[in-house]
Amino acid sequence: MDAEKINKKIEITWAAVDIYQEKKKVSIPDLVNKTNISATEIYQLFPNKQAILAYYYPALVLQYWAMIEEIEDFESYAISEKFSNFIYTIFDMMSEKEAFVTDTFNKYVFKKGSKSKFHEETTTLFKEFLTTDSNIAVSAGFFMGDIFYKTLSSQFLFLIQYWLKESSKDKDRTVALADK
């Protein structure tokens, strides 16, 4: 899929999430009014409204990829800094739409586990972080196969689940856990 279609999908998704946060539901007429994109074009990009809402999660990772391209010397960050940057950025992005995330994360991501697009995108990102880091020994490659990257992504889903359930001020416990 080309960048223009991806950007349009993200635009539609962000609008749908805004509508959802206001009304707790999304209608195509509301989406058309908010985006000025025709219903036909929306349905060419998404099969249904649930697919639009579900796309929010992989779109977070796609947005993150775009963000790190803007960070000077990101490739020189230590692996721990890359992971921390990703985790905190995703939490910041999710906190902006926390009502939506609270209502939908289980349905669209957690219950699907490794079959969710968010898990797939996160796995790809983690693999990129780990396979391009020059400070990781070549011999570590024997342990870092696809199962390893998928396991890391699965653990991240559990961390998000913890973040959603946490009641401490500023989600300090999740931040402390992520720092480990």
Side-chain angles (χ1 to χ4, degrees):
M1 185 174 296
D2 66 23
E4 186 178 325
K5 281 187 179 179
I6 291 170
N7 287 334
K8 189 160 282 202
K9 285 180 78 165
I10 290 171
E11 176 188 353
I12 292 165
T13 299
W14 281 183
V17 169
D18 288 343
I19 293 166
Y20 182 92
Q21 289 203 138
E22 289 172 29
K23 299 181 175 186
K24 292 288 186 195
K25 63 180 183 156
V26 176
S27 72
I28 295 300
D30 286 344
L31 201 48
V32 168
N33 288 337
K34 188 163 181 78
T35 62
N36 292 320
I37 298 171
S38 72
T40 302
E41 192 170 0
I42 291 170
Y43 281 119
Q44 287 173 343
L45 295 169
F46 296 100
N48 54 47
K49 291 183 286 189
Q50 288 73 32
I52 296 169
L53 295 173
Y55 192 71
Y56 170 77
Y57 296 101
L60 292 173
V61 181
L62 296 174
Q63 288 288 107
Y64 182 75
W65 279 106
M67 288 175 177
I68 62 174
E69 286 183 17
E70 301 296 320
I71 299 174
E72 265 187 61
D73 299 326
F74 183 80
E75 63 278 348
S76 70
Y77 283 21
I79 196 69
S80 61
E81 292 172 316
K82 290 178 182 179
F83 277 101
S84 293
N85 181 276
F86 173 71
I87 291 167
Y88 298 137
T89 300
I90 294 297
F91 284 160
D92 284 345
M93 294 167 78
M94 286 182 167
S95 68
E96 292 172 7
K97 309 291 183 192
E98 192 166 350
F100 171 79
V101 174
T102 299
D103 286 352
T104 65
F105 182 76
N106 277 334
K107 178 181 180 180
Y108 294 130
V109 179
F110 197 74
K111 286 183 178 177
K112 292 183 178 184
S114 63
K115 292 181 173 75
S116 76
K117 291 298 283 175
F118 180 69
H119 189 279
E120 288 176 25
E121 291 293 339
T122 303
T123 299
T124 301
L125 181 78
F126 289 173
K127 185 175 184 177
E128 175 71 16
F129 283 175
L130 291 164
T131 57
T132 61
D133 190 289
S134 61
N135 294 317
I136 295 178
V138 173
S139 60
F142 295 116
F143 301 103
M144 295 191 317
D146 287 341
I147 291 174
F148 176 77
Y149 306 119
K150 288 178 181 180
T151 301
L152 281 178
S153 295
S154 295
Q155 294 305 305
F156 182 55
L157 298 186
F158 282 103
L159 183 62
I160 294 169
Q161 189 78 332
Y162 183 82
W163 176 81
L164 286 170
K165 293 179 180 177
E166 184 180 354
S167 59
S168 70
K169 184 179 186 235
D170 298 326
K171 308 230 186 225
D172 292 335
R173 291 183 193 126
T174 305
V175 171
L177 186 59
D179 281 342
K180 302 283 178 205

mmCIF file of all heavy atoms in Angstrom, residues 60 63-64 67-68 71 82-96 156:
data_model
loop_
_atom_site.group_PDB
_atom_site.id
_atom_site.type_symbol
_atom_site.label_atom_id
_atom_site.label_comp_id
_atom_site.label_asym_id
_atom_site.label_seq_id
_atom_site.Cartn_x
_atom_site.Cartn_y
_atom_site.Cartn_z
ATOM 1 N N LEU A 60 -0.779 3.626 15.161
ATOM 2 C CA LEU A 60 0.128 4.188 16.172
ATOM 3 C C LEU A 60 1.571 3.840 15.849
ATOM 4 O O LEU A 60 2.464 4.690 15.931
ATOM 5 C CB LEU A 60 -0.217 3.648 17.569
ATOM 6 C CG LEU A 60 -1.527 4.080 18.203
ATOM 7 C CD1 LEU A 60 -1.764 3.307 19.490
ATOM 8 C CD2 LEU A 60 -1.540 5.574 18.454
ATOM 9 N N GLN A 63 2.724 5.708 12.768
ATOM 10 C CA GLN A 63 3.033 7.094 13.137
ATOM 11 C C GLN A 63 4.381 7.154 13.851
ATOM 12 O O GLN A 63 5.160 8.081 13.641
ATOM 13 C CB GLN A 63 1.945 7.664 14.043
ATOM 14 C CG GLN A 63 0.642 7.952 13.347
ATOM 15 C CD GLN A 63 0.753 9.153 12.442
ATOM 16 O OE1 GLN A 63 0.787 9.026 11.217
ATOM 17 N NE2 GLN A 63 0.789 10.315 13.016
ATOM 18 N N TYR A 64 4.652 6.160 14.676
ATOM 19 C CA TYR A 64 5.923 6.126 15.393
ATOM 20 C C TYR A 64 7.092 6.002 14.418
ATOM 21 O O TYR A 64 8.110 6.684 14.576
ATOM 22 C CB TYR A 64 5.950 4.984 16.417
ATOM 23 C CG TYR A 64 7.230 4.978 17.200
ATOM 24 C CD1 TYR A 64 7.460 5.919 18.202
ATOM 25 C CD2 TYR A 64 8.248 4.071 16.901
ATOM 26 C CE1 TYR A 64 8.653 5.940 18.893
ATOM 27 C CE2 TYR A 64 9.442 4.081 17.592
ATOM 28 C CZ TYR A 64 9.645 5.020 18.583
ATOM 29 O OH TYR A 64 10.835 5.053 19.260
ATOM 30 N N MET A 67 7.784 9.295 13.144
ATOM 31 C CA MET A 67 8.400 10.157 14.165
ATOM 32 C C MET A 67 9.892 9.899 14.298
ATOM 33 O O MET A 67 10.678 10.843 14.415
ATOM 34 C CB MET A 67 7.735 9.925 15.525
ATOM 35 C CG MET A 67 6.350 10.464 15.646
ATOM 36 S SD MET A 67 5.717 9.959 17.271
ATOM 37 C CE MET A 67 4.129 10.748 17.260
ATOM 38 N N ILE A 68 10.279 8.623 14.306
ATOM 39 C CA ILE A 68 11.703 8.340 14.531
ATOM 40 C C ILE A 68 12.559 8.735 13.333
ATOM 41 O O ILE A 68 13.757 8.975 13.490
ATOM 42 C CB ILE A 68 11.981 6.885 14.968
ATOM 43 C CG1 ILE A 68 11.562 5.874 13.913
ATOM 44 C CG2 ILE A 68 11.329 6.604 16.302
ATOM 45 C CD1 ILE A 68 11.945 4.428 14.252
ATOM 46 N N ILE A 71 13.924 12.065 14.184
ATOM 47 C CA ILE A 71 14.854 12.189 15.312
ATOM 48 C C ILE A 71 16.278 12.041 14.799
ATOM 49 O O ILE A 71 16.642 11.002 14.252
ATOM 50 C CB ILE A 71 14.561 11.121 16.395
ATOM 51 C CG1 ILE A 71 13.159 11.290 16.957
ATOM 52 C CG2 ILE A 71 15.612 11.200 17.510
ATOM 53 C CD1 ILE A 71 12.747 10.183 17.918
ATOM 54 N N LYS A 82 15.862 3.096 22.695
ATOM 55 C CA LYS A 82 14.892 2.902 21.612
ATOM 56 C C LYS A 82 13.600 2.298 22.146
ATOM 57 O O LYS A 82 12.502 2.765 21.823
ATOM 58 C CB LYS A 82 15.482 2.009 20.516
ATOM 59 C CG LYS A 82 16.582 2.677 19.715
ATOM 60 C CD LYS A 82 17.167 1.731 18.687
ATOM 61 C CE LYS A 82 18.294 2.388 17.918
ATOM 62 N NZ LYS A 82 18.892 1.481 16.936
ATOM 63 N N PHE A 83 13.726 1.245 22.954
ATOM 64 C CA PHE A 83 12.533 0.612 23.516
ATOM 65 C C PHE A 83 11.781 1.575 24.428
ATOM 66 O O PHE A 83 10.552 1.680 24.356
ATOM 67 C CB PHE A 83 12.889 -0.680 24.264
ATOM 68 C CG PHE A 83 13.014 -1.868 23.364
ATOM 69 C CD1 PHE A 83 14.262 -2.337 22.967
ATOM 70 C CD2 PHE A 83 11.890 -2.532 22.902
ATOM 71 C CE1 PHE A 83 14.375 -3.440 22.131
ATOM 72 C CE2 PHE A 83 11.999 -3.634 22.056
ATOM 73 C CZ PHE A 83 13.241 -4.086 21.669
ATOM 74 N N SER A 84 12.505 2.290 25.273
ATOM 75 C CA SER A 84 11.851 3.262 26.166
ATOM 76 C C SER A 84 11.137 4.341 25.376
ATOM 77 O O SER A 84 10.003 4.705 25.692
ATOM 78 C CB SER A 84 12.882 3.904 27.102
ATOM 79 O OG SER A 84 13.389 2.968 27.997
ATOM 80 N N ASN A 85 11.806 4.842 24.365
ATOM 81 C CA ASN A 85 11.205 5.873 23.528
ATOM 82 C C ASN A 85 9.910 5.372 22.905
ATOM 83 O O ASN A 85 8.885 6.062 22.914
ATOM 84 C CB ASN A 85 12.199 6.318 22.455
ATOM 85 C CG ASN A 85 11.652 7.402 21.561
ATOM 86 O OD1 ASN A 85 10.949 7.122 20.590
ATOM 87 N ND2 ASN A 85 11.960 8.638 21.896
ATOM 88 N N PHE A 86 9.936 4.160 22.389
ATOM 89 C CA PHE A 86 8.738 3.583 21.774
ATOM 90 C C PHE A 86 7.617 3.417 22.799
ATOM 91 O O PHE A 86 6.488 3.850 22.575
ATOM 92 C CB PHE A 86 9.059 2.239 21.126
ATOM 93 C CG PHE A 86 7.838 1.509 20.629
ATOM 94 C CD1 PHE A 86 7.143 1.967 19.518
ATOM 95 C CD2 PHE A 86 7.373 0.379 21.285
ATOM 96 C CE1 PHE A 86 6.005 1.312 19.064
ATOM 97 C CE2 PHE A 86 6.244 -0.294 20.835
ATOM 98 C CZ PHE A 86 5.560 0.177 19.722
ATOM 99 N N ILE A 87 7.929 2.804 23.917
ATOM 100 C CA ILE A 87 6.904 2.534 24.935
ATOM 101 C C ILE A 87 6.268 3.830 25.416
ATOM 102 O O ILE A 87 5.037 3.957 25.449
ATOM 103 C CB ILE A 87 7.513 1.738 26.108
ATOM 104 C CG1 ILE A 87 7.871 0.316 25.649
ATOM 105 C CG2 ILE A 87 6.568 1.712 27.312
ATOM 106 C CD1 ILE A 87 8.754 -0.453 26.628
ATOM 107 N N TYR A 88 7.085 4.809 25.773
ATOM 108 C CA TYR A 88 6.535 6.069 26.299
ATOM 109 C C TYR A 88 5.780 6.849 25.235
ATOM 110 O O TYR A 88 4.765 7.484 25.530
ATOM 111 C CB TYR A 88 7.636 6.919 26.926
ATOM 112 C CG TYR A 88 8.294 6.246 28.103
ATOM 113 C CD1 TYR A 88 9.670 6.273 28.274
ATOM 114 C CD2 TYR A 88 7.545 5.544 29.049
ATOM 115 C CE1 TYR A 88 10.279 5.642 29.342
ATOM 116 C CE2 TYR A 88 8.145 4.904 30.120
ATOM 117 C CZ TYR A 88 9.513 4.956 30.263
ATOM 118 O OH TYR A 88 10.110 4.325 31.317
ATOM 119 N N THR A 89 6.246 6.785 24.005
ATOM 120 C CA THR A 89 5.532 7.470 22.918
ATOM 121 C C THR A 89 4.173 6.829 22.692
ATOM 122 O O THR A 89 3.166 7.537 22.555
ATOM 123 C CB THR A 89 6.365 7.442 21.621
ATOM 124 O OG1 THR A 89 7.616 8.099 21.858
ATOM 125 C CG2 THR A 89 5.635 8.146 20.486
ATOM 126 N N ILE A 90 4.117 5.515 22.667
ATOM 127 C CA ILE A 90 2.830 4.827 22.485
ATOM 128 C C ILE A 90 1.897 5.145 23.651
ATOM 129 O O ILE A 90 0.712 5.428 23.444
ATOM 130 C CB ILE A 90 3.025 3.308 22.304
ATOM 131 C CG1 ILE A 90 3.763 3.010 20.997
ATOM 132 C CG2 ILE A 90 1.687 2.571 22.364
ATOM 133 C CD1 ILE A 90 3.039 3.435 19.721
ATOM 134 N N PHE A 91 2.415 5.121 24.876
ATOM 135 C CA PHE A 91 1.571 5.473 26.026
ATOM 136 C C PHE A 91 1.059 6.906 25.920
ATOM 137 O O PHE A 91 -0.104 7.178 26.220
ATOM 138 C CB PHE A 91 2.328 5.278 27.337
ATOM 139 C CG PHE A 91 2.475 3.855 27.771
ATOM 140 C CD1 PHE A 91 3.459 3.496 28.672
ATOM 141 C CD2 PHE A 91 1.637 2.856 27.298
ATOM 142 C CE1 PHE A 91 3.605 2.177 29.092
ATOM 143 C CE2 PHE A 91 1.779 1.532 27.698
ATOM 144 C CZ PHE A 91 2.765 1.203 28.608
ATOM 145 N N ASP A 92 1.916 7.825 25.484
ATOM 146 C CA ASP A 92 1.473 9.217 25.311
ATOM 147 C C ASP A 92 0.374 9.312 24.260
ATOM 148 O O ASP A 92 -0.628 10.007 24.457
ATOM 149 C CB ASP A 92 2.642 10.122 24.910
ATOM 150 C CG ASP A 92 3.567 10.455 26.057
ATOM 151 O OD1 ASP A 92 3.185 10.238 27.231
ATOM 152 O OD2 ASP A 92 4.690 10.944 25.792
ATOM 153 N N MET A 93 0.578 8.630 23.148
ATOM 154 C CA MET A 93 -0.420 8.663 22.080
ATOM 155 C C MET A 93 -1.736 8.031 22.542
ATOM 156 O O MET A 93 -2.812 8.552 22.264
ATOM 157 C CB MET A 93 0.121 7.966 20.826
ATOM 158 C CG MET A 93 1.291 8.713 20.203
ATOM 159 S SD MET A 93 2.180 7.739 18.958
ATOM 160 C CE MET A 93 1.077 7.880 17.571
ATOM 161 N N MET A 94 -1.636 6.926 23.250
ATOM 162 C CA MET A 94 -2.842 6.262 23.740
ATOM 163 C C MET A 94 -3.544 7.090 24.817
ATOM 164 O O MET A 94 -4.772 7.092 24.896
ATOM 165 C CB MET A 94 -2.522 4.866 24.278
ATOM 166 C CG MET A 94 -2.239 3.850 23.215
ATOM 167 S SD MET A 94 -1.943 2.232 23.982
ATOM 168 C CE MET A 94 -2.029 1.179 22.554
ATOM 169 N N SER A 95 -2.778 7.779 25.635
ATOM 170 C CA SER A 95 -3.398 8.569 26.701
ATOM 171 C C SER A 95 -4.226 9.726 26.134
ATOM 172 O O SER A 95 -5.196 10.156 26.759
ATOM 173 C CB SER A 95 -2.355 9.082 27.695
ATOM 174 O OG SER A 95 -1.513 10.027 27.110
ATOM 175 N N GLU A 96 -3.861 10.196 24.938
ATOM 176 C CA GLU A 96 -4.655 11.242 24.290
ATOM 177 C C GLU A 96 -6.042 10.730 23.898
ATOM 178 O O GLU A 96 -6.972 11.509 23.757
ATOM 179 C CB GLU A 96 -3.924 11.762 23.049
ATOM 180 C CG GLU A 96 -2.653 12.528 23.367
ATOM 181 C CD GLU A 96 -1.842 12.868 22.126
ATOM 182 O OE1 GLU A 96 -2.319 12.630 20.992
ATOM 183 O OE2 GLU A 96 -0.716 13.366 22.296
ATOM 184 N N PHE A 156 4.634 -6.661 25.470
ATOM 185 C CA PHE A 156 4.223 -5.259 25.371
ATOM 186 C C PHE A 156 2.699 -5.139 25.474
ATOM 187 O O PHE A 156 2.191 -4.212 26.107
ATOM 188 C CB PHE A 156 4.753 -4.632 24.075
ATOM 189 C CG PHE A 156 4.411 -3.179 23.924
ATOM 190 C CD1 PHE A 156 4.757 -2.266 24.907
ATOM 191 C CD2 PHE A 156 3.752 -2.725 22.800
ATOM 192 C CE1 PHE A 156 4.441 -0.916 24.772
ATOM 193 C CE2 PHE A 156 3.437 -1.384 22.653
ATOM 194 C CZ PHE A 156 3.784 -0.470 23.651
#
